[in-house]
């Protein structure tokens, strides 16, 4: 309701301003329907909720990019890249770090460093990003076999299932050799749920017990850290490697960083070159990432609060359902209630026409992701438009 009031108030002011136009005084006051039509036609607003990857570089980032000190990073001399890598290694509590063009390449490199023998096997969640959204690269490029284990609704994998999935070395004549366990934190397909440090430590203990390595896909690890109130280095302490996306939660324009031991990063650097990820004057990209680390990590808590506000408001709209237990960071899955006359396609189109962009997950589910360029006003506007879309389709 507050969103509707805000939207109408904003646009009523525009309508009222037309009273200064010649002849306007002779016209009858506009009806609410006419006002709504004026609102739709006159107000252009962009609320991009497709992902946190859609953020635009801030002025501070652009300035830093323009003035960045650069050199050839393939040769190892770009000073801004070295500064970013040093800072990231320190923040993550690891010995070294390496900038890579994307999170997909970062995860691929980490898996291939740990699984350097073709026919190796990695244990991972069936609903994790590496398994679903990264083109099967660990198999097609690395010859690594994924051993899928069921993800729980909170993004975890049962410890006993992980341990049961580890191959018995005595069967190596027939089976792949288990070398790696992968976790994802926060877990995107679970709605941004966070893996606790206690859980991660337990998985790390299982890995060590069996002589395995642990990799964390930490694309949104800063979101998890903010939500759990746990320092990021403690959150990944048990991991042998971590990939961290710079262009998701913290809003840099490009890239990811992988962290691990010095020996690990030496091997990773060679693989980055093999995969075509070695770039020259990358300091212009790393400069923006340094600004993001300085300015945007502290904004994540606010992003999460706005996500909760939006989720709570959506849950009050008849015909929509959001699982309140799943809202821990900045991702919301919105389900269409069975029996509702509306559809994701109709809502998607209605919102798009009003400048609100989001993702259609499937026939009955929508996804929205908040980020530092979404304001509280944007949240209220989005709620108002969702409510209008559902009411229209339900004939209210």
């Amino acid at each position: 309701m507050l969103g509707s009031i805000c939207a109408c108030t904003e646009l009523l002011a525009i309508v009222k301003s037309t009273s200064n136009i010649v002849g306007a005084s002779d016209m009858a006051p506009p009806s609410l329907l006419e006002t709504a039509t004026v609102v739709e036609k006159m107000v252009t607003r962009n609320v991009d909720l497709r992902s946190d990857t859609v953020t635009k570089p801030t002025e501070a980032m652009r300035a830093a990019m323009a003035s960045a000190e650069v050199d050839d990073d393939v040769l190892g001399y770009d000073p801004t890249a070295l500064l970013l890598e040093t800072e990231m290694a320190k923040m993550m509590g690891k010995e070294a770090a390496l900038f890579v063009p994307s999170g997909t390449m970062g995860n691929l490199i980490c898996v291939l460093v740990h699984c350097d023998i073709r026919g190796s096997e990695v244990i991972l969640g069936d609903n994790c990003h590496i398994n679903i959204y990264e083109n099967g690269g660990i198999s097609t490029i690395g010859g690594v076999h994924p051993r899928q284990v069921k993800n729980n609704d909170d993004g975890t994998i049962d410890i006993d299932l992980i341990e049961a999935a580890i191959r018995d070395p005595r069967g190596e004549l027939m089976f792949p050799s288990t070398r790696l366990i992968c976790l994802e934190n926060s877990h995107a397909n679970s709605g941004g749920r966070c893996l606790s440090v206690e859980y991660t430590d337990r998985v790390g203990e299982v890995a060590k017990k069996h002589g395995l390595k642990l990799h964390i896909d930490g694309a949104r690890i800063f979101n998890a850290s903010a939500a759990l109130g746990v320092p990021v280095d403690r959150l990944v302490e048990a991991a042998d490697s971590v990939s961290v996306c710079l262009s998701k939660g913290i809003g840099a324009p490009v890239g990811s960083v992988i962290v691990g031991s010095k020996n690990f990063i030496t091997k990773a650097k060679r693989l980055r070159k093999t995969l075509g990820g070695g770039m020259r004057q990358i300091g212009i990209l790393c400069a923006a990432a340094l600004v993001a680390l300085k300015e945007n990590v502290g904004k994540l808590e606010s992003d999460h609060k706005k996500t909760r506000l939006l989720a709570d408001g959506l849950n009050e709209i008849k015909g929509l359902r959001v699982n309140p237990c799943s809202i821990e960071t900045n991702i919301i899955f919105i389900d269409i209630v069975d029996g509702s006359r509306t559809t994701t396609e109709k809502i998607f189109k209605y919102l798009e026409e009003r400048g609100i962009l989001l993702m259609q997950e499937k026939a009955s589910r929508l996804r929205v992701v908040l980020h530092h360029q979404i304001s509280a006003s944007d949240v209220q506007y989005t709620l108002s438009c969702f409510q209008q879309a559902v009411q229209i389709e339900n004939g209210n």
Side-chain angles (χ1 to χ4, degrees), residues 15-319:
V15 174
K16 185 177 180 181
S17 68
T18 62
S19 62
N20 294 325
I21 300 175
V22 175
S25 59
D26 298 327
M27 297 189 294
S31 67
L32 183 60
L33 178 60
E34 290 170 333
T35 300
T37 301
V38 171
V39 168
E40 292 177 7
K41 290 184 177 181
M42 294 184 66
V43 173
T44 301
R45 188 165 187 167
N46 180 42
V47 182
D48 198 335
L49 299 168
R50 292 173 297 169
S51 177
D52 44 7
T53 61
V54 302
T55 56
K56 306 298 188 292
T58 63
E59 289 303 315
M61 290 180 191
R62 294 178 188 273
M65 293 170 76
S67 62
E69 186 178 355
V70 299
D71 203 328
D72 191 323
D73 184 63
V74 174
L75 300 180
Y77 290 105
D78 189 296
T80 309
L82 291 171
L83 179 60
L84 173 65
E85 290 165 350
T86 300
E87 181 64 20
M88 284 295 292
K90 181 180 178 182
M91 293 181 75
M92 296 291 154
K94 304 301 180 185
E95 291 180 352
L98 183 69
F99 180 91
V100 292
S102 71
T104 294
M105 182 181 286
N107 283 328
L108 177 59
I109 288 172
C110 290
V111 171
L112 297 190
V113 170
H114 294 307
C115 301
D116 55 351
I117 299 175
R118 293 183 69 83
S120 297
E121 187 168 73
V122 53
I123 296 171
L124 41 64
D126 65 340
N127 203 25
C128 75
H129 198 280
I130 293 176
N131 190 50
I132 296 177
Y133 297 119
E134 298 183 9
N135 299 108
I138 62 173
S139 298
T140 57
I141 296 174
V144 177
H145 185 261
R147 185 80 182 269
Q148 302 174 34
V149 183
K150 187 181 185 314
N151 275 119
N152 296 316
D153 289 342
D154 63 358
T156 62
I157 309 169
D158 288 345
I159 301 291
D160 58 342
L161 293 182
I162 292 176
E163 198 148 20
I166 298 172
R167 303 287 187 176
D168 187 335
R170 293 172 295 182
E172 64 180 0
L173 181 63
M174 295 174 290
F175 303 135
S177 298
T178 308
R179 297 185 186 278
L180 179 66
I181 301 170
C182 288
L183 300 175
E184 180 182 341
N185 198 13
S186 63
H187 197 275
N189 275 352
S190 297
R193 301 289 291 273
C194 304
L195 309 187
S196 70
V197 68
E198 293 81 11
Y199 171 80
T200 304
D201 284 349
R202 288 180 63 199
V203 176
E205 289 168 4
V206 170
K208 288 181 179 179
K209 175 183 173 183
H210 294 274
L212 309 179
K213 299 296 184 181
L214 173 62
H215 170 67
I216 294 179
D217 175 0
R220 296 185 176 90
I221 194 69
F222 284 111
N223 290 87
S225 174
L228 294 170
V230 177
V232 69
D233 60 336
R234 178 65 188 91
L235 207 52
V236 301
E237 186 177 303
D240 296 285
S241 62
V242 187
S243 61
V244 184
C245 188
L246 302 167
S247 60
K248 287 186 176 175
I250 63 173
V254 180
S256 288
V257 171
I258 56 179
V259 298
S261 67
K262 290 180 180 178
N263 183 55
F264 173 88
I265 293 300
T266 297
K267 295 177 180 178
K269 190 171 292 186
R270 291 189 65 195
L271 273 170
R272 183 185 69 173
K273 188 70 170 67
T274 302
L275 295 171
M279 299 183 290
R280 304 298 176 174
Q281 287 73 26
I282 64 169
I284 57 173
L285 302 177
C286 296
L290 285 165
V291 173
L293 287 173
K294 181 180 179 180
E295 296 187 354
N296 292 344
V297 172
K299 298 177 182 178
L300 293 174
E301 187 175 348
S302 175
D303 294 343
H304 299 168
K305 288 180 180 178
K306 284 178 281 191
T307 303
R308 169 64 68 178
L309 179 65
L310 178 57
D312 289 346
L314 290 169
N315 242 346
E316 294 178 4
I317 299 174
K318 187 177 180 180

Side-chain angles (χ1 to χ4, degrees), residues 354-373:
R354 286 150 185 80
I356 301 172
L357 304 178
L358 37 72
M359 290 281 198
Q360 289 179 268
E361 281 289 303
K362 46 190 175 182
S364 61
R365 171 169 282 191
L366 297 162
R367 187 192 82 162
V368 302
V369 182
L370 278 73
H371 47 80
H372 74 99
Q373 291 176 341

